[in-house]
Amino acid sequence: ASAAATVYRRLVSAGDHVQVWDLPSTAAALTFLPHSLPATCAQWNHNNQVLATGSLDGSIVLSLGKEGKQLCRLESDQNAAVLALALTLDSRYLASAGRLGIITIWDLKRRAVAKTLQGHTAAINAIAFNWDCTVLASGDSDGNILLHEVAKGERIMQLRGPDAHAVRAVQFSPFKKQRLAAIGDDG
């Protein structure tokens, strides 16, 4: 006879506090306060051991996901709210974006800015790397989606729906390599 294994998943929520749940439990396994102002976004690294959080205070904090211990704190020169985060598949680089419409790509090994990507004129709410981390998609409050070639730091395409609604999420398909989905305020 075989016993069915329970699949546990880790969930995070960001707000005044950061909370981590080990599902299917309904009680938070961990609650911590990594920022001076509310956290606006969170991203797990490739092996779910490290959690990156961005905040209205303009900081990014990398913490151990099981205990909340801070590993490092990244501060942008602009000190503007961080609204979106995306990690590369190997967790070497972290992209952050926010109210200033600028994307910062951080080299986490050096804990320094590797490059910045520009082109938005409104707050960036969502960012995502494609399957091989060569392209970064970003969506803004004015309804624009920009695709950037990461290595060159150049914008390669601009997409815009028929109605100009804020873009809230972007995600590349892991199966159809050229497919990008976006969610906006228009539903």
Side-chain angles (χ1 to χ4, degrees):
S2 65
T6 304
V7 177
Y8 291 94
R9 301 195 186 267
R10 188 162 275 183
L11 174 74
V12 63
S13 66
D16 290 337
H17 293 84
V18 173
Q19 292 186 303
V20 177
W21 285 268
D22 287 328
L23 300 177
S25 173
T26 58
L30 175 66
T31 300
F32 60 106
L33 184 63
H35 303 279
S36 62
L37 292 175
T40 55
C41 51
Q43 179 78 48
W44 289 106
N45 77 332
H46 68 283
N47 63 8
N48 276 358
Q49 300 301 308
V50 176
L51 178 65
T53 54
S55 171
L56 292 174
D57 66 12
S59 69
I60 300 163
V61 173
L62 277 68
S63 305
L64 287 176
K66 284 189 175 182
E67 57 193 69
K69 178 182 175 187
Q70 183 174 312
L71 298 173
C72 78
R73 182 181 196 86
L74 305 171
E75 301 279 351
S76 68
D77 291 337
Q78 299 89 5
N79 267 348
V82 176
L83 302 176
L85 296 171
L87 280 158
T88 55
L89 294 176
D90 63 359
S91 300
R92 168 72 189 266
Y93 296 97
L94 172 72
S96 65
R99 288 207 176 131
L100 294 180
I102 298 170
I103 300 166
T104 303
I105 299 183
W106 299 87
D107 180 333
L108 295 179
K109 187 174 182 180
R110 292 184 20 240
R111 296 184 182 179
V113 174
K115 66 179 60 179
T116 57
L117 307 174
Q118 299 190 23
H120 286 279
T121 57
I124 300 170
N125 302 314
I127 53 178
F129 285 101
N130 72 336
W131 66 279
D132 64 355
C133 301
T134 58
V135 175
L136 183 77
S138 53
D140 70 25
S141 295
D142 286 344
N144 296 302
I145 299 170
L146 302 183
L147 301 181
H148 302 270
E149 187 175 336
V150 177
K152 293 181 180 178
E154 296 176 357
R155 180 173 70 180
I156 54 175
M157 187 178 294
Q158 179 173 348
L159 306 170
R160 187 174 176 86
D163 299 318
H165 293 281
V167 176
R168 300 294 174 192
V170 292
Q171 183 69 51
F172 284 96
S173 169
F175 303 108
K176 301 276 187 176
K177 305 299 187 203
Q178 302 302 316
R179 186 167 287 173
L180 174 69
I183 297 173
D185 283 350
D186 60 342

